[in-house]
Each structure stands twice: as C-alpha cells, then as structure tokens.
Amino acid sequence: MQKTSKLYALVHGKCPQCRRGDIFTGSLYGFNVQHTNTICAHCGQRFEIEPGYFYAAMYVSYAMNCAEMIALGIATYVFSGGNLEFESLWLYLTVIFTGCLILAPFNYRYSRVILLHWLSPKIKYNAYYDKP
C-alpha cells in the first residue's frame, strides 16, 4: 500500500486516521442521499467522537456559507456591470440564495470533513494503517 496524502483524503472525504475509509455513503450530488458513516470500514475510527459532535460542523458550514454568499454577491456585481440600483436587489437575492441551495450538499459534506481533519484534536493520522 502506498501512503495517501492529506489533500487527497480531504477532497475525497476519507477517514482522517487512516486516509483510506470513506466518511460518507452516497454521492455528493445525485439520487443516493449522502449519510455519514458511524465508523471507518478500514481502521474502525468512530467519526462521531461524542454525542452531538457534528453540531460543531454547523459553525464550519456557516463560515463556508458566508464566504460563498459574499463571493456570489461580488460576482453578481461584476457581471451585472456594477449595478447597485434598488431594482437589482432581486437579482442579487436570487443569485445568492440559489447559490446557497445548490452548494448545500457541498457544505454539508465538507464542513464535516474539515471538522474531522483540521478541528479535531483527538483524531490524528496513524501511519500504521499504511503498512500491508
């Protein structure tokens, strides 16, 4: 087995301890609803370390959503030619809220991945699981 990189594990939603097992079932966008696995199938790491652990992912998701809303607002401003008239308020609201709805599954998944990989002091990468 070869060592899996941290970036690969983050992008593909892999376990932070072994970087091989999947954190989620189902696809990001599609008819398979994504669910968070209880434990890693490869190393047995429990993902919800304590009851209510993923409530902290709401704060990460909130930060991601704020950044996306600001970026969509700036993009709308640029692409509309700098239109800030009151009549363009509905354009901004439509673009921002549609973007938030489209990015909701992305935020759900990656807020939990960021929480597990970067904000969980109890979970560390263990190179033991890279041995054959």
Side-chain angles (χ1 to χ4, degrees), residues 19-93:
R19 297 182 184 167
R20 298 196 185 279
D22 292 325
I23 297 173
F24 296 96
T25 61
S27 60
L28 183 60
Y29 290 102
F31 294 111
N32 300 0
V33 178
Q34 60 180 333
H35 294 286
T36 307
N37 287 326
T38 307
I39 60 169
C40 175
H42 187 262
C43 69
Q45 170 66 45
R46 183 172 165 81
F47 293 126
E48 190 170 7
I49 298 170
E50 54 196 33
Y53 180 72
F54 286 122
Y55 283 122
M58 289 188 308
Y59 298 107
V60 177
S61 178
Y62 175 75
M64 291 169 64
N65 206 10
C66 287
E68 291 160 358
M69 291 170 79
I70 291 169
L72 286 169
I74 291 171
T76 304
Y77 175 79
V78 169
F79 289 123
S80 70
N83 189 4
L84 285 177
E85 301 296 322
F86 183 72
E87 293 80 26
S88 65
L89 174 67
W90 291 108
L91 171 67
Y92 283 90
L93 289 175

Side-chain angles (χ1 to χ4, degrees), residues 104-124:
F106 175 85
N107 289 344
Y108 171 80
R109 179 174 287 220
Y110 286 103
S111 64
R112 289 176 179 225
V113 169
I114 289 170
L115 179 70
L116 286 170
H117 278 269
W118 284 338
L119 303 175
S120 297
K122 295 180 181 180
I123 302 176
K124 300 284 186 215

